Amino acid sequence: MSGLDVTVFPHDFAWGAATAAYQIEGGWDMDGRGPSIWDTFCHAKGRVFEDHTGDVACNSYQLWEEDLKCIRQLGLTHYRLSISWSRLLPDGTTNHVNPKGVAYYNKVIDDLIAGGVTPMITLYHMDLPQALQDLGGWSSKEIADIFESYARFCFKTFGDRVKLWITVNEPYVCAKLGHEDGIFAPGIKNPGISVYLAGHNMLRAHTKAWHTYNAHFRPLQAGQVSLALNSDWVEALDPGSSKDAAASERYKAFTLDWFACPVFCTGDYSETMRARIETRSFDLGYKQGSRLPRFTKDEPSPLGTADFFALNYYTSRKVKDLNGDSKKNELSFEGDQGAEGVVDPSWPICGVHWLAVVPDGLRKLLKYIKDTYTSLPIYITENGFSQMGPVQIEDTDRSQFYKDTLQEVGKAISQDRVNVKGYFAWSLLDNFEWSDGYSVRFGLFHVDFSTPDLKRTIYRSGRDYAAVISKHRSQTKPKNI
């Protein structure tokens, strides 16, 4: 990544990599861990590429020391990981605490800090305890209070050392892919209804957890709490089309705005989103109340419940109007949105079909967030480049992607004056990529899943990322106070 100007990044910039528990830990039934919805989803067969599962994954539960070596080799200042809710609390509640789960995460946190690495911990990264799904999961009103109890337990147990928290990772993906499309766990297909209920309850859960931290833990622990929102950068497919322009606004209203508006803007869903859903409910004769739930006065408001903006960015889309689509005549999220994101033919695709490489979309999105939502610090909590087919350890294309992307982040900082505080590459390791199983690789380290020891080998992109971090550390020094 020679030629990258690292001096534009603040001296205390967070250089990180990210992982998630189900995708790397394995040990699915070891030492008292309870099953999660992804265990159930994978074991049902026919839902994941070649019936891959996360039963073993990278075996990070037993090979944490190997992961730590990878983190040290990169020279990371920060490491983002998630807690397996059911490893800590096998039935999802604090009625049953698994001491071996507590010990595992205590060791991970202590080892990171001993090595000068700051942990950022995600409480929920797709893997709801199956025991809670059996009670209704994210469609249940009670889930928000159960999550708050789980969050309180984690703040109390780990918060003396952990100062950066993410409550929920990508609520959009959990809601839409898990409760509308049914292609992610828990595999629910209830078009136009469950998607909004699940999203609403995730927001309620986040809100309760943030308020609990703010009132009971922040005074002593002085940490920060947010939620990680995924978003593409979007523009109208035909810049001269008023329909496509309106469609791109609806697309934003149903993706980033869905969760960002309640937290950063108004304390409620955008008027565009609510009006659209209510109009379509009326047009289609739906009479069972509002499909988009309302926040109630007897619960804390989501407004202001983020101490920083956590953004997962992977790609961009051109948006076209879908109002004439046949799905207009049935309840569905897509019909409510009335917009479709498509890939510009000029954008290269990396590995998996949906991942168009558009580094400058990240710069545009960062500026949009600053101008639209907040001046709070922004952490890019996920961003990456996938590889499929034969393994290429000398992954020059991925290395170039990271250079191009970091250049755009640098421009956002130096030219657009966006307060970007950190960047977390997805991912530290090749891992279980949800419904794609192990067929898609995002790691800075290759994991050989064909061998029992799951050997980690650094990719060229990992070596180059490490060089950027080292160069930044040597060229920027803290200002004297």
Side-chain angles (χ1 to χ4, degrees):
M1 299 186 200
S2 60
L4 178 66
D5 180 10
V6 296
T7 62
V8 300
F9 297 94
H11 71 86
D12 58 350
F13 192 77
W15 295 103
T19 58
Y22 187 77
Q23 294 179 268
I24 68 166
E25 281 184 5
W28 80 277
D29 61 351
M30 289 183 64
D31 292 344
R33 179 187 178 275
S36 77
I37 56 174
W38 270 95
D39 296 307
T40 304
F41 190 77
C42 292
H43 294 164
K45 306 296 184 184
R47 291 170 150 180
V48 175
F49 177 80
E50 294 187 351
D51 288 332
H52 292 172
T53 76
D55 289 1
V56 177
C58 306
N59 198 19
S60 293
Y61 182 64
Q62 294 182 296
L63 298 177
W64 159 243
E65 301 283 356
E66 297 305 309
D67 293 356
L68 187 59
K69 289 177 187 174
C70 296
I71 291 165
R72 287 174 172 161
Q73 189 172 347
L74 292 172
L76 301 181
T77 65
H78 289 63
Y79 178 58
R80 180 182 172 217
L81 66 148
S82 80
I83 288 174
S84 166
W85 188 344
S86 63
R87 191 180 298 286
L88 214 55
L89 308 175
D91 68 1
T93 75
T94 52
N95 296 332
H96 179 196
V97 177
N98 177 15
K100 290 188 176 179
V102 174
Y104 172 70
Y105 293 113
N106 269 328
K107 176 170 173 50
V108 169
I109 292 164
D110 290 344
D111 286 351
L112 288 169
I113 292 171
V117 180
T118 300
M120 175 185 279
I121 289 193
T122 305
L123 294 175
Y124 183 73
H125 200 123
M126 313 275 191
D127 50 351
L128 190 73
Q130 183 60 41
L132 297 182
Q133 185 61 41
D134 293 342
L135 299 175
W138 288 113
S139 296
S140 161
K141 189 175 191 296
E142 291 71 33
I143 192 68
D145 286 326
I146 298 172
F147 180 85
E148 186 274 334
S149 295
Y150 162 55
R152 182 186 291 263
F153 177 82
C154 291
F155 297 150
K156 181 179 179 181
T157 307
F158 309 118
D160 58 326
R161 291 151 291 158
V162 177
K163 307 303 176 185
L164 291 171
W165 295 96
I166 300 290
T167 54
V168 178
N169 180 75
E170 297 188 351
Y172 172 92
V173 171
C174 297
K176 185 171 185 296
L177 274 61
H179 296 78
E180 170 90 3
D181 304 334
I183 60 173
F184 274 23
I188 293 169
K189 295 181 182 179
N190 186 20
I193 298 172
S194 292
V195 61
Y196 302 122
L197 187 56
H200 186 71
N201 286 329
M202 284 183 226
L203 266 176
R204 290 178 57 239
H206 158 77
T207 296
K208 286 174 182 279
W210 185 92
H211 281 283
T212 290
Y213 189 87
N214 195 51
H216 301 291
F217 296 95
R218 192 191 305 277
L220 284 176
Q221 295 181 357
Q224 297 183 312
V225 181
S226 190
L227 76 172
L229 303 181
N230 63 289
S231 181
D232 302 340
W233 172 248
V234 299
E235 297 174 353
L237 177 63
D238 178 357
S241 164
S242 59
K243 285 188 174 182
D244 285 0
S248 67
E249 292 306 309
R250 286 196 305 276
Y251 192 95
K252 281 187 263 190
F254 278 78
T255 49
L256 186 56
D257 281 358
W258 181 4
F259 299 97
C261 270
V263 173
F264 295 99
C265 297
T266 64
D268 199 357
Y269 300 113
S270 75
E271 283 301 316
T272 299
M273 186 178 189
R274 186 171 295 284
R276 178 82 183 181
I277 291 170
E278 292 187 353
T279 298
R280 292 231 332 133
S281 292
F282 179 81
D283 290 347
L284 296 174
Y286 182 83
K287 298 177 180 177
Q288 299 174 46
S290 176
R291 290 186 290 128
L292 183 64
R294 293 187 179 275
F295 297 101
T296 60
K297 296 263 174 75
D298 62 341
E299 290 193 331
S301 169
L303 184 62
T305 58
D307 303 314
F308 55 92
F309 198 109
L311 172 68
N312 294 357
Y313 170 82
Y314 284 93
T315 190
S316 295
R317 288 292 184 266
K318 295 293 179 75
V319 178
K320 65 179 181 180
D321 179 64
L322 266 193
N323 274 336
D325 191 86
S326 59
K327 284 197 175 182
K328 185 172 175 138
N329 297 319
E330 59 190 44
L331 287 180
S332 70
F333 179 91
E334 188 178 90
D336 293 337
Q337 192 177 38
E340 181 185 3
V342 298
V343 173
D344 187 307
S346 69
W347 296 337
I349 302 294
C350 69
V352 68
H353 67 91
W354 56 265
L355 218 175
V357 181
V358 195
D360 67 335
L362 177 54
R363 177 187 176 184
K364 293 172 183 176
L365 185 56
L366 290 168
K367 186 176 186 305
Y368 173 81
I369 289 168
K370 183 194 81 163
D371 293 345
T372 307
Y373 299 120
T374 184
S375 59
L376 285 172
I378 301 172
Y379 287 91
I380 300 159
T381 39
E382 286 182 30
N383 176 248
F385 182 105
S386 75
Q387 184 185 102
M388 295 180 75
V391 174
Q392 299 173 342
I393 295 297
E394 292 297 313
D395 57 344
T396 53
D397 49 357
R398 182 188 278 143
S399 188
Q400 184 65 43
F401 161 81
Y402 278 121
K403 177 182 177 181
D404 293 344
T405 299
L406 290 170
Q407 281 181 331
E408 295 299 327
V409 174
K411 291 174 187 174
I413 294 170
S414 62
Q415 297 178 32
D416 304 330
R417 303 301 176 195
V418 183
N419 185 11
V420 184
K421 293 285 286 182
Y423 176 89
F424 291 76
W426 183 270
S427 176
L428 178 69
L429 307 169
D430 289 342
N431 59 54
F432 177 83
E433 283 294 339
W434 308 120
S435 56
D436 290 317
Y438 301 99
S439 68
V440 176
R441 300 179 297 275
F442 276 93
L444 293 167
F445 282 80
H446 172 60
V447 178
D448 187 348
F449 294 106
S450 67
T451 60
D453 62 350
L454 298 160
K455 180 175 167 48
R456 281 87 160 128
T457 303
I458 194 167
Y459 284 105
R460 174 174 178 166
S461 57
R463 296 197 307 270
D464 289 348
Y465 187 47
V468 168
I469 298 170
S470 176
K471 185 179 178 183
H472 179 258
R473 282 178 150 179
S474 68
Q475 292 191 8
T476 61
K477 294 178 180 172
K479 296 175 183 175
N480 294 326
I481 298 175

